[in-house]
Amino acid sequence: MAQKNQNDKEALRQENLEQTVSATEQFYNENKKVIWGTVIAVLVIGLGILAYSKFIYQPKCVEAMQQAYPAETSFQEGEYELALNGDGNVLGFADIISEYGSKAGKAVYLYAGICELQLGNNEEALSYLKKYKGKEPILAARAKACEGDAYVALGDYTAAVRSYKAAAATADNIFAPAYLLKEGSAYEALGQKAEALACYKSIENDYPSSLEAYDIAKHIARVAE
């Protein structure tokens, strides 16, 4: 009896399998044009993406980086006008961004923003700096600090505080005390001495070996009065 039940179960399983196979074959036969059309479309799109990346996008990136090299050299030499706008023979960062976007690397926005800041064009500097999306912590902090500098120049100390605070929090390194000092100064401009004192105390306690800590006592004394 047990053997018969086992045989019945096996027969039922086989029947179900055959029905499934039959249904699959029927579905394929009824929809094979659509199925193959979809497969071909996916292959064409995939090959198109690969071809675009290899023959268009990657060469453009190489070209953009080559074009950016003279501008980077000018930037390192402190020639910010030349680095930003070029001289007619080589492109500046503004032209590179206009023509290539970020294909030369995300840092082009940071370079352009710092150039505008150095040239006193604070609104333009903020426009570039806000487009910088680099993940390297020290550069990300530098970008935020530069935003703070632009806001200070524009008299927006509240926004400057936010930027300096973000800079100090982004990279807890040798540059953090400099950002904290600027944050404290912005708080003082807002008349918020307690917040400024907290920044200066952080420099004194957390970064005692930093350059900013050498004369931090005078800042503390000023806001602690």
Side-chain angles (χ1 to χ4, degrees):
M1 186 64 177
Q3 183 63 39
K4 182 177 182 302
N5 289 339
Q6 185 64 32
N7 291 339
D8 289 344
K9 289 180 181 180
E10 181 62 27
L12 182 59
R13 189 189 68 80
Q14 187 65 31
E15 182 180 350
N16 290 337
L17 179 61
E18 290 174 356
Q19 288 177 351
T20 301
V21 171
S22 177
T24 301
E25 289 178 348
Q26 182 180 355
F27 177 82
Y28 172 76
N29 289 331
E30 291 175 353
N31 299 278
K32 59 184 178 182
K33 289 184 178 180
V34 175
I35 292 171
W36 281 108
T38 303
V39 170
I40 292 171
V42 170
L43 288 173
V44 169
I45 292 171
L47 291 172
I49 292 172
L50 288 174
Y52 172 80
S53 177
K54 182 174 182 179
F55 298 111
I56 298 177
Y57 183 78
Q58 291 180 11
K60 272 289 185 183
C61 288
V62 172
E63 180 182 329
M65 287 186 284
Q66 291 173 339
Q67 294 282 8
Y69 180 75
E72 290 175 4
T73 300
S74 296
F75 181 90
Q76 298 298 334
E77 294 174 351
E79 298 179 355
Y80 299 111
E81 176 69 39
L82 180 59
L84 180 66
N85 297 314
D87 62 0
N89 296 313
V90 296
L91 298 180
F93 291 119
D95 297 318
I96 292 166
I97 290 171
S98 178
E99 186 168 344
Y100 299 102
S102 62
K103 291 184 177 67
K106 297 175 183 178
V108 291
Y109 293 106
L110 178 57
Y111 280 127
I114 293 174
C115 287
E116 293 282 22
L117 188 64
Q118 291 292 329
L119 295 171
N121 304 322
N122 299 295
E123 294 284 4
E124 292 81 356
L126 286 169
S127 178
Y128 282 125
L129 292 167
K130 288 179 180 297
K131 293 175 183 176
Y132 174 68
K133 305 298 181 183
K135 302 298 183 183
E136 202 286 318
I138 292 178
L139 292 182
R142 175 79 184 281
K144 282 297 180 182
C146 287
E147 286 183 27
D149 293 345
Y151 282 125
V152 166
L154 292 168
D156 189 346
Y157 295 103
T158 299
V161 162
R162 289 197 299 269
S163 296
Y164 292 137
K165 188 182 296 292
T170 299
D172 186 16
N173 55 46
I174 59 173
F175 299 107
Y179 303 149
L180 284 167
L181 187 62
K182 289 185 175 185
E183 182 185 348
S185 178
Y187 272 127
E188 284 196 70
L190 292 168
Q192 299 178 17
K193 291 187 176 183
E195 289 79 1
L197 179 61
C199 294
Y200 300 147
K201 281 290 189 179
S202 179
I203 294 172
E204 181 182 53
N205 297 326
D206 300 332
Y207 305 95
S209 299
S210 67
L211 181 64
E212 290 74 17
Y214 291 160
D215 60 353
I216 198 65
K218 70 178 183 181
H219 296 286
I220 292 173
R222 183 176 62 252
V223 296
E225 292 175 352

